[in-house]
């Protein structure tokens, strides 16, 4: 009986390994649940990310080509002028894009979500800052009468120095915009927004952040910014009309003056 009792006493002693197995399974589950990050650092510039960026660039370029064909025929820019206008915008957007990629990789959080926040701020608040910057620079250029720095005007024949000067001005505007957006991102609430649960599939999250959302937003952004850069080109036609009107008025005044002098001479000859 003692042996049987000993055997019965040994029975419960087998349970601790089962308990340890359950403990191991429970302890492993949180480690699997915590690793839900979609994008990793460097994912924006890997082969798949570069492919998506190149595809987005071609799609954005096609949008600008579509915009040119949508312009009225009497206002449609020649291909050379269109290329000079759009190249300035392309260089500025490349600067903003790579600045966002660099800033997104500086954090330990999900870089895709931070890139999306940067991009949406550039497309909303940044659009207003770009518009204000272009208007301010254009006002200074008109005040100083720097004809080669008027956006959209490159001289006849076309001068590369005029394009270079306008491109530098536009990049400075984009740098000013990006610095202000970086100051806005210092608000702690943006970091909390970036900590939202990301998409678990890294390729899907990268496609949404780098291609799908930017395509629709850039379609509007490129269209509007191109109108900003064309605005001085349109006002040039208005200025030419005003100059023609002023010249016509001056001729009328000159004729009136002559007629007045002639009348005086006629009056002098009568006397």
């Amino acid at each position: 009986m003692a042996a049987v009792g000993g055997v019965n006493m040994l029975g419960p002693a087998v349970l601790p390994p089962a308990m340890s197995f359950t403990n191991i399974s429970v302890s492993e589950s949180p480690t699997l649940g915590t690793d839900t990050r979609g994008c990793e650092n460097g994912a924006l510039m890997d082969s798949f990310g570069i492919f998506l960026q190149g595809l987005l660039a071609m799609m954005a370029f096609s949008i600008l080509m579509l915009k040119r064909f949508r312009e009225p025929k009497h206002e449609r820019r020649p291909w050379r002028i269109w290329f000079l206008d759009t190249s300035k915008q392309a260089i500025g957007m490349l600067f903003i894009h790579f600045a966002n990629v660099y800033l997104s990789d500086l954090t330990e959080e999900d870089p895709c979500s931070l890139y999306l926040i940067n991009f949406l701020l550039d497309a909303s608040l940044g659009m207003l800052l770009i518009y204000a910057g272009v208007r301010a620079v254009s006002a200074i250029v008109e005040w100083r009468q720097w004809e080669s720095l008027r956006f959209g005007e490159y001289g006849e024949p076309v001068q590369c120095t005029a394009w270079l000067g306008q491109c530098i001005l536009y990049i400075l505007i984009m740098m000013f915009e990006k610095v202000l957006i970086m100051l806005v991102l210092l608000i702690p609430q943006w970091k909390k927004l970036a900590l939202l649960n990301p998409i678990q599939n890294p390729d899907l999250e990268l496609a949404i952040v780098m291609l799908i959302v930017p395509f629709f937003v850039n379609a509007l952004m490129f269209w509007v910014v191109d109108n900003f850069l064309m605005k001085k080109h349109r006002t040039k036609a208005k200025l030419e009309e005003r100059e023609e009107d002023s010249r016509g008025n001056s001729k009328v005044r000159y004729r009136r003056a002559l007629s007045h002098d002639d009348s005086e001479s006629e009056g002098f000859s009568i006397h």
Side-chain angles (χ1 to χ4, degrees):
M1 295 297 290
V4 175
V7 173
N8 290 334
M9 291 300 293
L10 291 176
V14 184
L15 293 178
M19 295 295 294
S20 62
F21 176 76
T22 56
N23 292 334
I24 293 173
S25 62
V26 173
S27 62
E28 286 180 353
S29 58
T31 57
L32 294 174
T34 54
D35 192 11
T36 59
R37 248 179 68 162
C39 283
E40 298 291 338
N41 288 334
L44 299 175
M45 292 302 295
D46 62 4
S47 58
F48 184 64
I50 293 175
F51 168 75
L52 293 177
Q53 296 171 42
L55 184 60
L56 178 63
M58 290 189 295
M59 296 170 68
F61 201 70
S62 62
I63 291 172
L64 292 174
M65 292 182 66
L66 176 63
K67 182 180 183 298
R68 179 188 179 275
F69 288 111
R70 293 286 297 175
E71 295 174 358
K73 291 184 178 180
H74 63 280
E75 294 182 0
R76 186 174 298 171
R77 293 165 289 178
W79 281 108
R80 179 182 295 181
I81 302 300
W82 173 86
F83 178 77
L84 293 176
D85 287 342
T86 55
S87 61
K88 290 182 297 186
Q89 185 177 178
I91 294 174
M93 291 301 176
L94 284 175
F95 168 77
I96 294 296
H97 170 73
F98 287 111
N100 290 339
V101 171
Y102 176 75
L103 293 174
S104 300
D105 284 334
L106 291 180
T107 180
E108 296 180 355
E109 308 300 334
D110 180 28
C112 287
S113 60
L114 291 178
Y115 177 86
L116 185 61
I117 292 173
N118 275 280
F119 176 78
L120 294 178
L121 283 176
D122 289 328
S124 55
L125 179 59
M127 181 79 69
L128 299 177
L129 295 175
I130 293 171
Y131 174 75
V134 170
R135 291 296 300 270
V137 170
S138 299
I140 296 174
V141 168
E142 290 295 329
W143 174 56
R144 301 294 297 178
Q145 292 297 316
W146 293 330
E147 297 182 356
S148 61
L149 295 180
R150 290 174 180 170
F151 288 114
E153 301 180 18
Y154 308 102
E156 294 182 1
V158 175
Q159 299 178 2
C160 294
T161 55
W163 174 85
L164 181 61
Q166 296 176 28
C167 189
I168 292 174
L169 285 179
Y170 186 67
I171 292 176
L172 291 176
I173 293 173
M174 300 299 283
M175 292 176 64
F176 170 75
E177 179 265 343
K178 196 59 203 175
V179 170
L180 293 182
I181 295 297
M182 289 173 61
L183 294 178
V184 173
L185 286 173
L186 294 178
I187 301 175
Q189 282 72 16
W190 294 113
K191 186 176 180 181
K192 295 180 180 180
L193 183 62
L195 293 177
L196 296 175
N197 292 330
I199 300 174
Q200 296 183 3
N201 189 344
D203 292 337
L204 178 60
E205 183 182 5
L206 193 61
I208 293 174
V209 171
M210 300 293 291
L211 181 64
I212 299 175
V213 174
F215 170 71
F216 293 102
V217 177
N218 282 336
L220 176 63
M221 190 173 180
F222 284 5
W223 201 289
V224 174
V225 173
D226 191 52
N227 287 332
F228 293 166
L229 299 180
M230 288 178 58
K231 193 172 184 179
K232 282 300 177 181
H233 183 69
R234 293 180 179 177
T235 55
K236 180 183 178 182
K238 295 181 180 179
L239 291 174
E240 289 177 352
E241 292 178 358
R242 292 179 181 177
E243 289 178 358
E244 291 178 356
D245 295 338
S246 62
R247 289 175 184 175
N249 294 331
S250 63
K251 290 180 180 179
V252 172
R253 293 176 182 175
Y254 182 70
R255 289 176 182 174
R256 289 179 180 176
L258 287 177
S259 62
H260 180 70
D261 293 336
D262 292 338
S263 63
E264 290 182 351
S265 63
E266 290 176 359
F268 180 77
S269 62
I270 291 173
H271 289 86

